[in-house]
Amino acid sequence: MVKKVAIIGAGISGLASIRSCLEEGLEPTCFEKGEDVGGLWKFSDHVEEGRASIYQSVFTNSSKEMTCFPDFPFPDDFPNFMHNSKLQEYITMFAKEKNLLKYIQFKTIVSSVNKRPDFSTTGQWDVITEKDGKKESAVFDAVMICSGHHVYPNIPKESFPGIKLFKGTCFHSRDYKEPGMFKGKRVLVIGLGNSGCDIASELSHIAEKVIISSRSGSWVMSRVWDEGYPWDMLFITRFETFLKNTLPTVISDWWYMKQMNARFKHENYGLMPLNGTLRKEPVFNDELPARILCGVVTIKPNVKEFTEDSAIFEDGTVFKSIDCVIFATGYNYAYPFLDDSIIKSRDNEVTLFKGIFPPPLEKPTLAVIGLVQSLGAVIPTTDLQSRWAVQVIKGTCPLPSVKDMMNDIDEKMGKKLKLFGKSDTIQTDYVVYMDELASFIGAKPNIPWLFLTDPKLALEVYFGPCTPYQFRLVGPGKWPGARNAILTQWDRLLKPMTTRVVGSPLKPCLFCNWFRPVLISVVSIAAFIVLF
């Protein structure tokens, strides 16, 4: 019999999961709380309980060639970095093109997901949903959770003594929509992440004074990288990943910090991370350094204490007459419809094999899609996650033993502690993670074989950007257009920019981007050997 799969959420992860189920002959039913697809990227001018929320001015941090579904490139004329409305347009196009909408039940809340009494033998789940006040129960052979991790705001007020005394406005960045109401106000933004920097930069054009308080600092990257190309088309490559993971730590760390400081010296701007060698997710903001230079945004250390109208920072300075405090302090991830012990099976930690499967389950029929974070884009990540998850659910790709899965989780937690400074983070190394997932289903490109059989393609795959098309070259779900998409990716990148023709558009030299760091590394190693 065809297996029935419940999919919770019709955002990017949910759409990827629906499509993967259909590709493998499963029967998906997707439950979406809202009225449309898109999830996080479906902008609303008001905050809705239990749904992700973005502000009106949000743009993507990943460029279009790195962001697309692997067999559905963005139209040539779409900009490289898109306003949220443009990405939502693409998501809707994808859902219609792949005929996914008929599998979605909109305005439907998932109330509970519970194992059936015979779960140990069937792996089935009871799923209770609610629509228009009416509850329904259905049995599913598997469940894919695609509700994201930007829903439940983290507001650590207990970490800020005196915050209850503060008489101004105080809210989480999730509630921020547009800057109009802040004209002439004095605003304190707590948090130096993407949202905090975006909001502070935007408010600095209209507010009287904006200060960002940061506990640990952050690297700030520009979307515009070397020679004006999108950052991720040059930064996220297989060869660069190989170098950073193979070179001696001291050289890799030095190289990484040099790249992060290439645009400006973070020490001079008060932005320098406490530990600059950690690969914690950087902030992407093209405007913040200029706003700091112009004096309309100021960076301060952590808040030591609040008074009725002021904030006292750890360096002893005071920001007086504050009108508003915005907590840009991230999110907690939770699944209120599911028994918490299923996801957090050990010491209240999220323990998921490859960030997807809970190891202790008797049957691998529950998958969490989209609960990872990396420098890579979300769409290709969730596409590959769902493709593997569906193979596991179908029974064609068995999981390792519980012991082996837990050992893998422990090993990854140790690596995360070294790379990101936290063992329980959902961050991961994009190329390494994607290759791991692709290997499970036979979709990882065979680089040596490519160099032997198709050297032109091999050069782009290995030295060029690790674009999503690479993971549809081979294996289940292979796309016939993947090779051509890779070979023409720079053409699509340049198309929306060349609106005034002043010569032939120039593509980057793949070898030039890595020759200099390799040369520096070789010289450094040689010097180290000679001296020591």
Side-chain angles (χ1 to χ4, degrees):
M1 293 179 63
V2 176
K3 289 189 175 182
K4 296 181 178 181
V5 182
I7 297 170
I8 303 173
I12 287 168
S13 302
L15 294 177
S17 297
I18 297 172
R19 198 268 290 268
S20 293
C21 285
L22 296 174
E23 285 183 327
E24 293 300 325
L26 305 186
E27 184 180 317
T29 301
C30 179
F31 303 106
E32 166 55 42
K33 186 174 184 179
E35 301 177 349
D36 201 355
V37 297
L40 173 71
W41 293 99
K42 177 62 178 176
F43 174 76
S44 172
D45 58 7
H46 61 279
V47 177
E48 299 176 41
E49 187 65 32
R51 293 194 70 240
S53 175
I54 56 173
Y55 36 97
Q56 200 279 332
S57 59
V58 167
F59 278 75
T60 61
N61 291 332
S62 297
S63 63
K64 68 175 183 179
E65 289 303 302
M66 299 293 285
T67 302
C68 65
F69 284 98
D71 59 344
F72 194 70
F74 282 90
D76 290 1
D77 60 346
F78 270 45
N80 284 288
F81 294 101
M82 286 160 284
H83 184 257
N84 61 81
S85 60
K86 207 67 177 173
L87 182 58
Q88 176 64 18
E89 180 183 341
Y90 168 80
I91 293 170
T92 304
M93 288 167 55
F94 175 79
K96 291 179 178 179
E97 174 71 21
K98 302 300 180 181
N99 200 23
L100 307 181
L101 297 177
K102 66 180 181 180
Y103 300 97
I104 306 172
Q105 296 183 18
F106 293 105
K107 297 183 180 180
T108 304
I109 299 171
V110 175
S111 304
S112 67
V113 175
N114 294 300
K115 297 178 182 177
R116 286 184 58 76
D118 58 354
F119 180 84
S120 60
T121 55
T122 66
Q124 292 182 326
W125 301 83
D126 284 319
V127 178
I128 298 177
T129 59
E130 182 177 345
K131 183 175 183 178
D132 299 328
K134 181 183 178 182
K135 289 192 175 183
E136 291 187 4
S137 179
V139 177
F140 288 92
D141 298 297
V143 175
M144 300 177 77
I145 301 174
C146 306
S147 52
H149 56 271
H150 292 95
V151 177
Y152 303 100
N154 173 43
I155 309 178
K157 291 186 176 181
E158 68 281 355
S159 301
F160 298 96
I163 189 65
K164 292 182 180 179
L165 301 174
F166 180 66
K167 293 185 176 180
T169 306
C170 182
F171 62 88
H172 191 269
S173 58
R174 180 175 186 269
D175 297 316
Y176 175 83
K177 291 298 179 180
E178 54 87 26
M181 63 180 289
F182 297 93
K183 185 175 182 179
K185 303 294 185 181
R186 295 170 63 83
V187 183
L188 172 62
V189 178
I190 296 179
L192 193 64
N194 283 308
S195 295
C197 291
D198 279 353
I199 292 170
S201 297
E202 184 169 71
L203 292 183
S204 69
H205 291 275
I206 195 170
E208 177 188 323
K209 180 66 178 177
V210 178
I211 287 181
I212 300 176
S213 169
S214 174
R215 181 179 57 193
S216 57
S218 179
W219 294 117
V220 177
M221 291 177 65
S222 171
R223 293 176 177 87
V224 184
W225 207 241
D226 295 346
E227 299 181 330
Y229 297 105
W231 74 273
D232 49 358
M233 293 288 280
L234 301 180
F235 196 82
I236 302 179
T237 73
R238 291 182 175 278
F239 185 65
E240 181 143 338
T241 299
F242 167 76
L243 287 180
K244 287 181 177 177
N245 292 335
T246 306
L247 290 171
T249 302
V250 63
I251 296 176
S252 179
D253 289 347
W254 168 82
W255 181 18
Y256 177 73
M257 292 181 67
K258 187 173 179 60
Q259 285 180 305
M260 294 297 102
N261 260 326
R263 183 179 169 211
F264 64 93
K265 301 301 179 186
H266 284 63
E267 299 93 325
N268 298 343
Y269 288 71
L271 296 168
M272 183 71 185
L274 292 180
N275 186 344
T277 63
L278 294 179
R279 278 21 174 214
K280 291 197 289 187
E281 185 181 15
V283 169
F284 290 92
N285 194 292
D286 303 292
E287 193 178 13
L288 182 62
R291 305 311 291 167
I292 295 173
L293 274 178
C294 293
V296 290
V297 173
T298 303
I299 309 297
K300 286 289 185 179
N302 199 34
V303 174
K304 178 182 178 182
E305 180 183 2
F306 280 97
T307 66
E308 289 185 353
D309 69 345
S310 303
I312 303 170
F313 301 103
E314 290 182 345
D315 62 0
T317 56
V318 181
F319 184 23
K320 297 180 179 179
S321 303
I322 302 174
D323 295 297
C324 181
V325 176
I326 301 176
F327 283 91
T329 43
Y331 293 83
N332 297 313
Y333 34 91
Y335 306 106
F337 47 79
L338 187 70
D339 183 348
D340 215 29
S341 65
I342 293 177
I343 302 294
K344 299 180 179 180
S345 60
R346 182 181 65 182
D347 300 329
N348 204 36
E349 294 176 338
V350 174
T351 43
L352 298 172
F353 180 58
K354 304 304 180 186
I356 300 173
F357 288 103
L361 281 183
E362 301 97 313
K363 297 288 184 178
T365 57
L366 179 79
V368 181
I369 307 299
L371 191 60
V372 295
Q373 195 166 300
S374 72
L375 281 181
V378 174
I379 290 179
T381 304
T382 57
D383 180 79
L384 198 48
Q385 284 185 320
S386 62
R387 288 165 66 193
W388 175 49
V390 165
Q391 295 276 0
V392 173
I393 291 169
K394 190 178 177 182
T396 55
C397 188
L399 293 177
S401 67
V402 173
K403 181 181 178 181
D404 287 344
M405 286 191 284
M406 293 305 294
N407 287 340
D408 182 82
I409 290 171
D410 289 337
E411 180 186 344
K412 292 294 189 296
M413 289 178 75
K415 290 181 179 179
K416 287 180 178 182
L417 181 62
K418 180 181 177 182
L419 273 177
F420 309 116
K422 293 175 64 179
S423 61
D424 60 347
T425 181
I426 60 173
Q427 280 189 262
T428 188
D429 185 318
Y430 178 72
V431 176
V432 173
Y433 180 69
M434 293 289 279
D435 275 350
E436 283 184 332
L437 298 186
S439 296
F440 290 136
I441 61 173
K444 179 184 175 182
N446 186 328
I447 306 299
W449 179 249
L450 275 182
F451 272 107
L452 288 173
T453 59
D454 195 342
K456 182 179 180 181
L457 177 63
L459 288 172
E460 283 288 347
V461 168
Y462 193 64
F463 295 108
C466 187
T467 44
Y469 319 118
Q470 294 189 14
F471 301 101
R472 290 271 179 174
L473 282 168
V474 295
K478 176 183 177 180
W479 178 43
R483 181 183 186 275
N484 183 64
I486 293 171
L487 297 178
T488 57
Q489 57 198 10
W490 292 103
D491 297 322
R492 286 188 300 279
L493 180 153
L494 292 167
K495 173 70 174 178
M497 299 163 58
T498 53
T499 53
R500 173 176 172 260
V501 180
V502 289
S504 299
L506 299 176
K507 302 175 186 178
C509 171
L510 299 180
F511 297 101
C512 298
N513 293 320
W514 61 261
F515 179 75
R516 184 169 57 182
V518 170
L519 180 62
I520 292 173
S521 301
V522 170
V523 172
S524 300
I525 293 172
F528 182 84
I529 293 173
V530 171
L531 293 174
F532 299 98

